[in-house]
Amino acid sequence: MIDELAHAGPEHLDEGFIAGFDRKQGHPDPAADIAAFEGHGLGTTSTIVDLGAGTGQFAIPAAERFGRVIAVDVSPAMLGALRAKARATASAAALPRLECVRGGFLSYSPAAPVDGVYTRHALHQLPDFWKVTALRRIAGLLRPGGVLRLVDLIYDFGPGETDAVFAAWFANAATDPAAGYTADDYAEHIRTEHSTFRWLLEPMLAATGFEVADVSYKGRLYGAYTCVKAGNG
């Protein structure tokens, strides 16, 4: 098994970087992700695991709506930031429903099958072979009929379009590295991280026991998948 910390992205282990993480990432609205789970029947009695939870941008609001949310991250510094944010922003009712656990795609195992798994901008840290391993493990975490919500940086274009898509991506990047991701940040992602093509990811999902219920893309770079574990998976 590979060392998960070596594939966490070194910046995600750095307390200095994490202090500005939400400002750099922006504040993505979790409403569509929460609605994806609720649309498949998950609610106040459901347990959801957030893999690669970061600072809790999904986990904290999800704890306001679901019965239990387990926020999992390999970075102790990220978990520290998540706990601090939860104490400052979560309601008194939500706090007991939120659990923080150190672990990752290749190591975390709950005590019992869960109803949903969420992961945003984390699976791309793993090379494709290990993505498949991670997806198999996610399927193993879920009960039959359980829901995976996967949001990530995924390449929705053919190899011949790469130069044009990346040029447009760089052109629309932030200019202030404190305020957002710059063209240099994007280039670093392409060189050192492991975003894959859509036409490779979707067969991985099928091979690991998932049926894609809904998919959308933004800018040919950002994909959002709602998947259901097959009943006999």
Side-chain angles (χ1 to χ4, degrees):
M1 193 64 72
I2 59 174
D3 177 4
E4 289 191 303
L5 283 177
H7 288 269
E11 70 276 12
H12 300 141
L13 309 176
D14 178 352
E15 290 185 1
F17 176 86
I18 291 166
F21 181 79
D22 286 347
R23 182 174 66 253
K24 192 173 180 77
Q25 276 265 307
H27 297 274
D29 186 350
D33 302 315
I34 289 171
F37 287 116
E38 292 179 333
H40 285 270
L42 277 64
T44 56
T45 62
S46 302
T47 296
I48 293 177
V49 172
D50 182 356
L51 284 169
T55 60
Q57 292 174 329
F58 170 81
I60 295 171
E64 305 285 352
R65 303 285 282 272
F66 300 106
R68 184 183 181 206
V69 176
I70 306 169
V72 180
D73 205 286
V74 297
S75 168
M78 276 292 191
L79 291 175
L82 195 161
R83 291 186 182 102
K85 186 196 290 187
R87 288 193 295 268
T89 64
S91 70
L95 270 177
R97 297 196 287 263
L98 178 63
E99 178 183 353
C100 296
V101 177
R102 187 179 177 193
F105 291 110
L106 307 177
S107 58
Y108 174 71
S109 295
V114 301
D115 303 292
V117 171
Y118 176 80
T119 183
R120 179 181 183 275
H121 291 191
L123 190 64
H124 68 246
Q125 298 288 351
L126 296 174
D128 280 3
F129 173 85
W130 295 104
K131 286 187 183 72
V132 174
T133 304
L135 289 169
R136 286 188 65 201
R137 295 195 80 257
I138 290 170
L141 307 184
L142 287 164
R143 60 166 171 79
V147 180
L148 166 64
R149 178 71 171 175
L150 167 63
V151 181
D152 215 322
L153 204 164
I154 303 157
Y155 300 144
D156 184 24
F157 49 85
E161 301 172 276
T162 298
D163 290 348
V165 173
F166 284 170
W169 194 25
F170 297 160
N172 289 288
T175 55
D176 179 359
Y181 288 96
T182 65
D184 285 344
D185 290 329
Y186 291 153
E188 180 75 5
H189 174 98
I190 293 164
R191 285 194 301 269
T192 66
E193 300 184 22
H194 304 283
S195 286
T196 197
F197 287 103
R198 175 179 183 172
W199 44 270
L200 293 173
L201 176 68
E202 291 180 0
M204 293 182 203
L205 289 166
T208 52
F210 288 103
E211 298 174 358
V212 176
D214 182 72
V215 59
S216 63
Y217 271 81
K218 179 180 178 182
R220 307 186 75 188
L221 291 161
Y222 300 97
Y225 286 79
T226 304
C227 306
V228 177
K229 178 182 173 178
N232 61 352

CSV table of all heavy atoms in Angstrom, one decimal, residues 155-190:
chain,number,residue,atom,x,y,z
A,155,TYR,N,-10.8,15.8,-16.5
A,155,TYR,CA,-10.6,16.3,-17.8
A,155,TYR,C,-11.7,15.8,-18.8
A,155,TYR,O,-11.7,14.6,-19.2
A,155,TYR,CB,-9.3,16.0,-18.4
A,155,TYR,CG,-8.1,16.5,-17.5
A,155,TYR,CD1,-7.0,15.8,-17.3
A,155,TYR,CD2,-8.2,17.7,-16.9
A,155,TYR,CE1,-5.9,16.2,-16.6
A,155,TYR,CE2,-7.2,18.2,-16.1
A,155,TYR,CZ,-6.0,17.5,-15.9
A,155,TYR,OH,-5.0,17.9,-15.2
A,156,ASP,N,-12.6,16.7,-19.2
A,156,ASP,CA,-13.8,16.3,-20.1
A,156,ASP,C,-13.4,16.7,-21.5
A,156,ASP,O,-14.1,17.6,-22.1
A,156,ASP,CB,-15.0,17.0,-19.5
A,156,ASP,CG,-16.3,16.6,-20.4
A,156,ASP,OD1,-16.2,15.5,-21.0
A,156,ASP,OD2,-17.3,17.3,-20.4
A,157,PHE,N,-12.4,16.2,-22.1
A,157,PHE,CA,-12.0,16.5,-23.4
A,157,PHE,C,-11.1,15.4,-24.0
A,157,PHE,O,-10.6,14.6,-23.2
A,157,PHE,CB,-11.3,17.9,-23.5
A,157,PHE,CG,-10.2,18.1,-22.5
A,157,PHE,CD1,-8.9,17.7,-22.8
A,157,PHE,CD2,-10.4,18.7,-21.3
A,157,PHE,CE1,-7.9,17.8,-21.9
A,157,PHE,CE2,-9.4,18.9,-20.4
A,157,PHE,CZ,-8.1,18.5,-20.7
A,158,GLY,N,-10.9,15.4,-25.2
A,158,GLY,CA,-10.0,14.4,-25.9
A,158,GLY,C,-8.6,14.9,-25.8
A,158,GLY,O,-8.3,16.1,-25.6
A,159,PRO,N,-7.6,14.0,-26.0
A,159,PRO,CA,-6.2,14.3,-25.9
A,159,PRO,C,-5.8,15.5,-26.9
A,159,PRO,O,-5.0,16.3,-26.5
A,159,PRO,CB,-5.5,13.0,-26.3
A,159,PRO,CG,-6.4,12.0,-25.9
A,159,PRO,CD,-7.8,12.5,-26.2
A,160,GLY,N,-6.4,15.5,-28.1
A,160,GLY,CA,-6.1,16.5,-29.0
A,160,GLY,C,-6.5,17.9,-28.7
A,160,GLY,O,-6.1,18.9,-29.3
A,161,GLU,N,-7.4,18.0,-27.7
A,161,GLU,CA,-7.9,19.4,-27.3
A,161,GLU,C,-7.2,19.9,-26.0
A,161,GLU,O,-7.5,21.0,-25.6
A,161,GLU,CB,-9.4,19.2,-26.9
A,161,GLU,CG,-10.3,18.7,-28.0
A,161,GLU,CD,-11.7,18.5,-27.5
A,161,GLU,OE1,-11.9,17.4,-27.0
A,161,GLU,OE2,-12.5,19.4,-27.7
A,162,THR,N,-6.2,19.2,-25.5
A,162,THR,CA,-5.5,19.5,-24.3
A,162,THR,C,-5.0,20.9,-24.3
A,162,THR,O,-5.2,21.7,-23.4
A,162,THR,CB,-4.4,18.5,-24.0
A,162,THR,OG1,-5.0,17.2,-23.8
A,162,THR,CG2,-3.7,18.9,-22.7
A,163,ASP,N,-4.2,21.3,-25.3
A,163,ASP,CA,-3.5,22.6,-25.3
A,163,ASP,C,-4.5,23.7,-25.3
A,163,ASP,O,-4.3,24.7,-24.5
A,163,ASP,CB,-2.6,22.7,-26.6
A,163,ASP,CG,-1.4,21.8,-26.5
A,163,ASP,OD1,-1.1,21.3,-25.4
A,163,ASP,OD2,-0.7,21.7,-27.6
A,164,ALA,N,-5.6,23.6,-26.0
A,164,ALA,CA,-6.6,24.7,-26.1
A,164,ALA,C,-7.3,24.8,-24.8
A,164,ALA,O,-7.6,26.0,-24.3
A,164,ALA,CB,-7.6,24.5,-27.2
A,165,VAL,N,-7.7,23.7,-24.2
A,165,VAL,CA,-8.5,23.8,-22.9
A,165,VAL,C,-7.6,24.3,-21.8
A,165,VAL,O,-8.0,25.2,-21.0
A,165,VAL,CB,-9.0,22.4,-22.5
A,165,VAL,CG1,-9.6,22.4,-21.1
A,165,VAL,CG2,-10.0,21.9,-23.5
A,166,PHE,N,-6.3,23.9,-21.7
A,166,PHE,CA,-5.4,24.4,-20.7
A,166,PHE,C,-5.1,25.8,-20.9
A,166,PHE,O,-5.0,26.6,-19.9
A,166,PHE,CB,-4.1,23.5,-20.6
A,166,PHE,CG,-4.3,22.2,-20.0
A,166,PHE,CD1,-3.3,21.3,-20.1
A,166,PHE,CD2,-5.4,21.8,-19.3
A,166,PHE,CE1,-3.4,20.0,-19.5
A,166,PHE,CE2,-5.6,20.6,-18.7
A,166,PHE,CZ,-4.5,19.7,-18.8
A,167,ALA,N,-5.0,26.3,-22.1
A,167,ALA,CA,-4.7,27.7,-22.4
A,167,ALA,C,-5.8,28.6,-21.9
A,167,ALA,O,-5.6,29.6,-21.2
A,167,ALA,CB,-4.5,27.9,-23.9
A,168,ALA,N,-7.1,28.1,-22.1
A,168,ALA,CA,-8.2,28.9,-21.6
A,168,ALA,C,-8.3,28.9,-20.1
A,168,ALA,O,-8.6,29.9,-19.4
A,168,ALA,CB,-9.5,28.3,-22.2
A,169,TRP,N,-7.9,27.7,-19.5
A,169,TRP,CA,-7.9,27.6,-18.0
A,169,TRP,C,-6.9,28.6,-17.4
A,169,TRP,O,-7.2,29.3,-16.5
A,169,TRP,CB,-7.6,26.1,-17.7
A,169,TRP,CG,-7.8,25.7,-16.3
A,169,TRP,CD1,-8.7,26.2,-15.4
A,169,TRP,CD2,-7.1,24.6,-15.6
A,169,TRP,NE1,-8.6,25.5,-14.2
A,169,TRP,CE2,-7.7,24.5,-14.3
A,169,TRP,CE3,-6.2,23.7,-16.0
A,169,TRP,CZ2,-7.3,23.6,-13.4
A,169,TRP,CZ3,-5.8,22.7,-15.1
A,169,TRP,CH2,-6.3,22.7,-13.8
A,170,PHE,N,-5.7,28.6,-18.0
A,170,PHE,CA,-4.7,29.5,-17.5
A,170,PHE,C,-5.1,31.0,-17.6
A,170,PHE,O,-4.9,31.8,-16.7
A,170,PHE,CB,-3.4,29.3,-18.2
A,170,PHE,CG,-2.8,27.9,-18.0
A,170,PHE,CD1,-1.8,27.4,-18.9
A,170,PHE,CD2,-3.1,27.1,-17.0
A,170,PHE,CE1,-1.3,26.2,-18.8
A,170,PHE,CE2,-2.6,25.8,-16.8
A,170,PHE,CZ,-1.6,25.4,-17.7
A,171,ALA,N,-5.8,31.3,-18.7
A,171,ALA,CA,-6.1,32.7,-19.0
A,171,ALA,C,-7.1,33.2,-18.0
A,171,ALA,O,-7.2,34.4,-17.8
A,171,ALA,CB,-6.7,32.8,-20.4
A,172,ASN,N,-8.0,32.3,-17.5
A,172,ASN,CA,-9.0,32.7,-16.5
A,172,ASN,C,-8.6,32.5,-15.1
A,172,ASN,O,-9.4,32.6,-14.2
A,172,ASN,CB,-10.3,32.0,-16.8
A,172,ASN,CG,-10.9,32.4,-18.1
A,172,ASN,OD1,-11.4,33.5,-18.2
A,172,ASN,ND2,-10.8,31.6,-19.2
A,173,ALA,N,-7.3,32.2,-14.8
A,173,ALA,CA,-6.9,31.9,-13.5
A,173,ALA,C,-6.8,33.2,-12.7
A,173,ALA,O,-6.7,34.3,-13.2
A,173,ALA,CB,-5.5,31.2,-13.5
A,174,ALA,N,-6.7,33.1,-11.3
A,174,ALA,CA,-6.5,34.3,-10.5
A,174,ALA,C,-5.2,34.8,-10.7
A,174,ALA,O,-4.2,34.1,-11.0
A,174,ALA,CB,-6.7,33.8,-9.0
A,175,THR,N,-5.0,36.1,-10.4
A,175,THR,CA,-3.7,36.8,-10.5
A,175,THR,C,-3.1,36.9,-9.1
A,175,THR,O,-1.9,37.0,-9.0
A,175,THR,CB,-3.8,38.1,-11.2
A,175,THR,OG1,-4.8,38.9,-10.5
A,175,THR,CG2,-4.3,38.0,-12.6
A,176,ASP,N,-3.9,36.9,-8.1
A,176,ASP,CA,-3.4,37.0,-6.7
A,176,ASP,C,-3.4,35.6,-6.1
A,176,ASP,O,-4.5,35.1,-5.9
A,176,ASP,CB,-4.3,38.0,-5.9
A,176,ASP,CG,-3.9,38.1,-4.5
A,176,ASP,OD1,-2.9,37.5,-4.0
A,176,ASP,OD2,-4.5,38.9,-3.7
A,177,PRO,N,-2.2,35.1,-5.8
A,177,PRO,CA,-2.2,33.7,-5.2
A,177,PRO,C,-2.9,33.6,-3.9
A,177,PRO,O,-3.3,32.5,-3.5
A,177,PRO,CB,-0.7,33.4,-5.1
A,177,PRO,CG,0.0,34.7,-5.1
A,177,PRO,CD,-0.9,35.6,-6.0
A,178,ALA,N,-3.1,34.7,-3.1
A,178,ALA,CA,-3.8,34.6,-1.9
A,178,ALA,C,-5.3,34.5,-2.0
A,178,ALA,O,-6.0,34.1,-1.2
A,178,ALA,CB,-3.4,35.8,-1.0
A,179,ALA,N,-5.7,35.0,-3.2
A,179,ALA,CA,-7.2,35.1,-3.4
A,179,ALA,C,-7.7,33.9,-4.2
A,179,ALA,O,-9.0,33.7,-4.3
A,179,ALA,CB,-7.5,36.4,-4.2
A,180,GLY,N,-6.9,33.1,-4.9
A,180,GLY,CA,-7.4,32.0,-5.7
A,180,GLY,C,-6.2,31.3,-6.4
A,180,GLY,O,-5.0,31.6,-6.2
A,181,TYR,N,-6.5,30.3,-7.2
A,181,TYR,CA,-5.5,29.5,-7.9
A,181,TYR,C,-5.1,30.2,-9.1
A,181,TYR,O,-5.9,30.6,-10.0
A,181,TYR,CB,-6.1,28.1,-8.2
A,181,TYR,CG,-6.2,27.3,-6.9
A,181,TYR,CD1,-7.4,27.2,-6.2
A,181,TYR,CD2,-5.1,26.7,-6.4
A,181,TYR,CE1,-7.5,26.5,-5.1
A,181,TYR,CE2,-5.2,25.9,-5.2
A,181,TYR,CZ,-6.4,25.8,-4.5
A,181,TYR,OH,-6.5,25.1,-3.4
A,182,THR,N,-3.7,30.4,-9.2
A,182,THR,CA,-3.1,31.1,-10.4
A,182,THR,C,-2.8,30.1,-11.5
A,182,THR,O,-2.9,28.9,-11.3
A,182,THR,CB,-1.8,31.8,-9.9
A,182,THR,OG1,-0.9,30.8,-9.5
A,182,THR,CG2,-2.1,32.7,-8.7
A,183,ALA,N,-2.4,30.7,-12.6
A,183,ALA,CA,-2.0,29.8,-13.7
A,183,ALA,C,-0.8,28.9,-13.3
A,183,ALA,O,-0.7,27.7,-13.7
A,183,ALA,CB,-1.6,30.7,-14.9
A,184,ASP,N,0.1,29.4,-12.5
A,184,ASP,CA,1.2,28.6,-12.0
A,184,ASP,C,0.7,27.5,-11.1
A,184,ASP,O,1.2,26.3,-11.2
A,184,ASP,CB,2.2,29.5,-11.2
A,184,ASP,CG,3.1,30.3,-12.1
A,184,ASP,OD1,3.1,30.0,-13.3
A,184,ASP,OD2,3.7,31.3,-11.6
A,185,ASP,N,-0.3,27.8,-10.3
A,185,ASP,CA,-0.9,26.7,-9.5
A,185,ASP,C,-1.5,25.6,-10.4
A,185,ASP,O,-1.4,24.4,-10.1
A,185,ASP,CB,-2.0,27.3,-8.6
A,185,ASP,CG,-1.5,28.2,-7.5
A,185,ASP,OD1,-0.4,27.9,-7.0
A,185,ASP,OD2,-2.2,29.1,-7.1
A,186,TYR,N,-2.2,26.0,-11.4
A,186,TYR,CA,-2.9,25.0,-12.3
A,186,TYR,C,-1.8,24.2,-13.0
A,186,TYR,O,-2.0,23.0,-13.1
A,186,TYR,CB,-3.7,25.7,-13.3
A,186,TYR,CG,-5.0,26.4,-12.8
A,186,TYR,CD1,-5.6,27.5,-13.4
A,186,TYR,CD2,-5.6,25.9,-11.6
A,186,TYR,CE1,-6.7,28.1,-12.9
A,186,TYR,CE2,-6.8,26.5,-11.1
A,186,TYR,CZ,-7.3,27.6,-11.8
A,186,TYR,OH,-8.5,28.2,-11.3
A,187,ALA,N,-0.7,24.8,-13.4
A,187,ALA,CA,0.4,24.1,-14.1
A,187,ALA,C,1.0,23.1,-13.1
A,187,ALA,O,1.3,22.0,-13.5
A,187,ALA,CB,1.4,25.1,-14.7
A,188,GLU,N,1.1,23.5,-11.9
A,188,GLU,CA,1.7,22.6,-10.9
A,188,GLU,C,0.8,21.4,-10.7
A,188,GLU,O,1.2,20.3,-10.5
A,188,GLU,CB,1.9,23.4,-9.6
A,188,GLU,CG,2.5,22.5,-8.4
A,188,GLU,CD,4.0,22.2,-8.6
A,188,GLU,OE1,4.6,22.8,-9.6
A,188,GLU,OE2,4.5,21.5,-7.8
A,189,HIS,N,-0.5,21.7,-10.7
A,189,HIS,CA,-1.5,20.6,-10.6
A,189,HIS,C,-1.3,19.6,-11.7
A,189,HIS,O,-1.3,18.4,-11.5
A,189,HIS,CB,-2.9,21.1,-10.6
A,189,HIS,CG,-4.0,20.1,-10.6
A,189,HIS,ND1,-4.6,19.7,-9.5
A,189,HIS,CD2,-4.5,19.3,-11.6
A,189,HIS,CE1,-5.5,18.7,-9.8
A,189,HIS,NE2,-5.4,18.5,-11.1
A,190,ILE,N,-1.2,20.1,-12.9
A,190,ILE,CA,-1.1,19.2,-14.1
A,190,ILE,C,0.1,18.4,-14.0
A,190,ILE,O,0.1,17.2,-14.3
A,190,ILE,CB,-1.2,20.0,-15.4
A,190,ILE,CG1,-2.5,20.7,-15.5
A,190,ILE,CG2,-0.8,19.2,-16.6
A,190,ILE,CD1,-2.5,21.8,-16.5
